[in-house]
């Protein structure tokens, strides 16, 4: 048998596992490549939920999570733990996904050891190092060290080109989260699963909420909670469902602010299938999540993005999302408009998902095969992802 390149995939948090699951499954099915999976364990329960759902079994788990971990201690432990593993396993390429501490530490460890890096979801840019923090820095630092950039969209490719990365090394794949989502949505029934019904109760409609961004902890999150409280009071016939992130800096603030309101349902993080079911059937989705912004357009669920700036502007440019920031009055005003004006809501339900078409993992594996086989281009342009509809660049 000819040489099989060894591809290591590293994951650490919930969104990395969701977004790498399709890539891992595609690599596992490729007989001409060897796969190993590393988990830093940056997250614990929230990662376990995804590993179980997608039947992912890491070859090594560094079990790094500690309560209220600091960025620097996590980075230090991840750098050392990953260095030990990579030095012994010596993969031909390490695949990292996104912009977390795991991604940056893994990229640095690989670079120090001369291991090539493939960056999945490369090229997202907010152009603001403080928003999101520290993710904008993590993904920029990773790009500098990367050999193959798997850009999800043409806009992400454009950002990488502006930074001087070589056109030949950038492959537009679509976002792998759409692959994960489409695969799962086949498993969903027509309405809400029975175990989710109590979250809606007697209400006629529901709004789904998530918020966890580090840069929002001080001012943004209390304002977001204030807006949800105002909306719940103004719309007693609507249920507000908020699966709260386990980070104590988020969890404690949200439960203190919204824990005792009849039509607000705070829950632990939901398993991905349940969450996707809610996202599909929600009247409105309020979120600061990166993945959430990329998923909702598949279901035509209108999104209010609870951030001042986003590195995922495509949905807003198509009118499928609105960037509202974290101002209490503005969030309440924009949400109220969409909850009372059916035409305004319907206008946001047009178009197809600009972030992907469900074939990203297939493109990544094909590009890896061609790269290690010495073929150029790494993936012909006509096989790369092209969103439908005109997105203002
Ligand atoms: C991290 C990522 C962020 C990503 C988010 C996805 C960084 C710097 N941040 O933020 O980019 O959007 O994950 O959710 O990489 N915790 C638990 N159980 C869990 C997960 C977290 O208890 O399963 C608690 C722990 O107290 C932990 C804290 O949350 O110390 C913070 O986790 P961490 O991964 O450092 O930051 P996130 O805010 O989750
Ligand atoms: N998600 C989930 N359960 C929840 C909330 C979110 O499975 O209770 C999924 C969501 O569909 C998306 C991902 O988690 O795929 C987003 O993760 P998160 O918001 O933690 O991180 P981000 O995308 O902002 O980095």
């Amino acid at each position: 048998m000819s040489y099989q390149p060894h591809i290591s995939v590293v994951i650490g948090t919930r969104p990395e596992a969701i977004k790498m699951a399709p890539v891992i499954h595609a690599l596992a099915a490729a007989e001409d490549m060897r796969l190993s999976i590393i988990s830093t364990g940056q997250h614990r329960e929230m990662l376990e939920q995804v590993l179980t759902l997608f039947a992912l079994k890491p070859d090594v788990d560094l079990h790094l999570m500690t309560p209220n971990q600091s960025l620097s201690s996590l980075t230090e432990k991840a750098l050392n733990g990953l260095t030990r593993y990579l030095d012994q396993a010596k993969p031909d390429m390490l695949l990292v996904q996104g912009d977390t501490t795991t991604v940056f530490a893994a990229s640095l460890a690989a670079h120090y050891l001369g291991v090539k890096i493939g960056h999945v979801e490369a090229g997202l840019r907010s152009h603001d190092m403080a928003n999101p923090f520290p993710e904008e820095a993590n993904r920029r630092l990773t790009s500098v060290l990367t050999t193959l950039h798997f850009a999800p969209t043409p806009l992400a490719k454009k950002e990488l080109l502006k930074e001087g990365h070589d056109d030949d090394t950038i492959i537009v794949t679509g976002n792998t989260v759409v692959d994960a989502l489409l695969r799962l949505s086949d498993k969903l029934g027509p309405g809400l699963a029975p175990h989710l019904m109590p979250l809606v109760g007697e209400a006629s409609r529901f709004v789904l909420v998530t918020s966890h961004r580090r840069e929002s902890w001080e001012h943004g999150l209390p304002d977001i909670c204030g807006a949800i409280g105002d909306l719940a009071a103004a719309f007693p016939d609507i249920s507000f469902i908020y699966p709260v992130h386990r980070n104590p800096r988020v969890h404690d603030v949200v439960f203190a602010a919204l824990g005792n309101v009849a039509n607000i349902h705070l829950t632990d993080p939901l398993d991905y299938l349940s969450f996707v079911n809610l996202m599909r059937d929600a009247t409105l989705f309020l979120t600061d999540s990166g993945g959430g912004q990329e998923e909702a357009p598949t279901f035509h669920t209108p999104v209010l993005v609870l951030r001042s700036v986003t590195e995922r502007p495509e949905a807003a440019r198509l009118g499928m999302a609105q960037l509202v920031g974290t101002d209490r009055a503005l969030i309440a005003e924009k949400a109220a408009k969409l909850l009372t004006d059916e035409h305004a809501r319907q206008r946001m339900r047009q178009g197809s998902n600009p972030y992907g078409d469900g074939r990203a993992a297939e493109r990544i594996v094909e590009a890896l095969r061609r790269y290690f086989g010495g073929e150029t281009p790494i993936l012909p342009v006509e096989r790369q992802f092209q969103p439908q509809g005109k997105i203002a660049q």
Side-chain angles (χ1 to χ4, degrees):
M1 187 185 265
S2 60
Y3 177 71
Q4 292 175 298
H6 174 187
I7 312 292
S8 273
V9 174
V10 65
I11 53 178
T13 65
R14 168 172 71 186
E16 288 163 79
I18 292 170
K19 291 174 168 182
M20 278 300 206
V23 179
I24 289 171
H25 289 153
L27 282 169
E31 288 177 358
D32 51 351
M33 289 184 217
R34 273 195 304 141
L35 164 70
S36 58
I37 307 170
I38 316 164
S39 169
T40 60
Q42 177 177 337
H43 279 181
R44 189 177 297 155
E45 307 88 337
M46 289 165 59
L47 181 64
E48 280 301 325
Q49 284 179 317
V50 186
L51 299 183
T52 305
L53 179 68
F54 288 106
L56 305 179
K57 292 188 179 55
D59 296 281
V60 59
D61 189 340
L62 303 179
H63 294 293
L64 293 188
M65 201 204 87
T66 54
N68 259 322
Q69 61 208 4
S70 74
L71 292 174
S72 49
S73 76
L74 177 62
T75 306
E76 177 199 331
K77 287 187 294 179
L79 181 62
N80 286 326
L82 289 162
T83 298
R84 274 192 293 278
Y85 174 76
L86 293 173
D87 198 21
Q88 161 256 311
K90 299 195 173 21
D92 294 290
M93 182 170 278
L94 178 70
L95 291 187
V96 300
Q97 194 290 328
D99 50 23
T100 64
T101 296
T102 288
V103 172
F104 170 57
S107 303
L108 193 57
H111 177 69
Y112 285 162
L113 292 167
V115 173
K116 291 188 170 107
I117 298 160
H119 187 195
V120 177
E121 199 182 82
L124 303 196
R125 297 290 182 265
S126 67
H127 301 283
D128 180 349
M129 289 297 241
N131 288 289
F133 173 86
E135 291 82 0
E136 179 74 1
N138 284 343
R139 55 192 172 225
R140 281 174 180 267
L141 291 162
T142 299
S143 291
V144 174
L145 306 175
T146 290
T147 302
L148 293 183
H149 309 265
F150 297 109
T153 66
L155 181 64
K157 173 172 178 172
K158 205 169 156 186
E159 296 286 1
L160 290 165
L161 289 174
K162 275 198 282 184
E163 289 172 13
H165 296 287
D166 189 347
D167 198 342
D168 297 345
T169 63
I170 308 168
I171 304 103
V172 182
T173 60
N175 199 304
T176 56
V177 81
V178 181
D179 303 25
L181 187 69
L182 292 180
R183 212 165 285 177
L184 268 201
S185 46
D186 288 349
K187 296 188 182 157
L188 292 176
L192 271 192
H195 71 280
L196 297 171
M197 296 290 196
L199 295 175
V200 183
E202 299 298 305
S204 51
R205 299 184 287 166
F206 69 90
V207 172
L208 182 63
V209 184
T210 71
S211 174
H212 70 86
R213 298 246 72 86
R214 200 168 284 262
E215 66 277 7
S216 293
W217 287 351
E218 204 172 331
H219 302 296
L221 190 57
D223 262 25
I224 290 167
C225 291
I228 306 303
D230 296 344
L231 286 162
F235 295 93
D237 59 331
I238 294 181
S239 171
F240 293 78
I241 304 174
Y242 187 164
V244 185
H245 196 288
R246 283 202 187 274
N247 195 327
R249 299 291 302 267
V250 175
H251 182 274
D252 298 354
V253 172
V254 175
F255 273 81
L258 302 173
N260 285 313
V261 185
N263 57 331
I264 298 180
H265 299 275
L266 305 180
T267 72
D268 284 339
L270 294 167
D271 68 273
Y272 187 48
L273 189 61
S274 299
F275 189 76
V276 167
N277 197 168
L278 288 170
M279 195 173 15
R280 185 194 66 181
D281 293 354
T283 300
L284 188 60
F285 182 26
L286 308 188
T287 190
D288 65 6
S289 156
Q293 293 175 65
E294 293 155 343
E295 291 165 334
T298 290
F299 301 126
H300 306 282
T301 303
V303 183
L304 293 185
V305 181
L306 307 174
R307 297 194 193 186
S308 56
V309 62
T310 180
E311 62 287 335
R312 297 162 164 97
E314 290 91 340
R317 291 182 188 178
L318 286 171
M320 303 174 92
Q322 291 177 26
L323 195 61
V324 293
T326 57
D327 179 76
R328 175 172 179 164
L330 194 64
I331 296 168
E333 180 198 320
K334 297 280 185 192
K337 166 86 178 154
L338 291 168
L339 292 172
T340 50
D341 183 342
E342 183 57 21
H343 290 296
R345 217 169 64 75
Q346 285 306 331
R347 276 198 298 279
M348 291 183 76
R349 293 174 57 83
Q350 316 293 327
S352 63
N353 192 328
Y355 299 110
D357 60 358
R359 295 182 47 215
E362 185 191 305
R363 293 187 181 101
I364 290 168
V365 172
E366 182 60 15
L368 289 171
R369 183 174 288 123
R370 288 174 62 93
Y371 173 77
F372 283 103
E375 292 181 67
T376 52
I378 294 173
L379 195 67
V381 161
E382 63 279 9
R383 304 227 303 256
Q384 299 188 27
F385 171 62
Q386 186 57 50
Q388 291 168 13
K390 183 119 188 75
I391 301 167
Q393 302 276 304

